[in-house]
Amino acid sequence: MRDDTPLSALPNLGPRSAALLAPVGLRTLADLRRVGSVAAYVQARRSGQPVSLNLLWALEGALTGERWQTVARRERTRLLLALDDCERRR
């Protein structure tokens, strides 16, 4: 996919997810690649958006091409540790 692909066009993400990420300046695949799934999730949550961990799984899946359910099952521990690390640094 092209870097200018809107988030709503990525696998696992749609208009609602894109609307949660737009207020923090994340609108395209390039934006998501630049910050990564964990930082994107943290930014959305800190902005007061009503996010759940399903968004984190979906963001990672959008970057890797995997279904969010697969990400949640296979990458849960790694992503939660990365999330904890990200929150401690800020």
Side-chain angles (χ1 to χ4, degrees):
M1 287 200 164
R2 295 171 36 129
D3 278 350
D4 62 350
T5 301
L7 293 179
S8 61
L10 296 177
N12 301 306
L13 301 177
R16 185 164 184 254
S17 297
L20 294 171
L21 297 164
V24 294
L26 301 172
R27 293 178 177 82
T28 65
L29 177 57
D31 296 333
L32 181 56
R33 283 181 176 155
R34 179 176 39 81
V35 300
S37 59
V38 173
Y41 173 81
V42 169
Q43 288 177 25
R45 190 169 72 188
R46 286 193 176 151
S47 75
Q49 299 298 316
V51 299
S52 72
L53 285 173
N54 287 342
L55 178 63
L56 177 57
W57 317 144
L59 290 166
E60 183 69 14
L63 289 172
T64 63
E66 293 188 28
R67 294 174 49 90
W68 72 266
Q69 297 93 334
T70 302
V71 170
R73 189 174 57 252
R74 290 186 187 165
E75 302 295 333
R76 176 181 298 266
T77 302
R78 179 184 65 80
L79 290 169
L80 289 175
L81 288 171
L83 177 59
D84 186 54
D85 185 52
C86 185
E87 289 180 329
R88 286 182 192 202
R89 287 184 287 163
R90 297 192 182 218

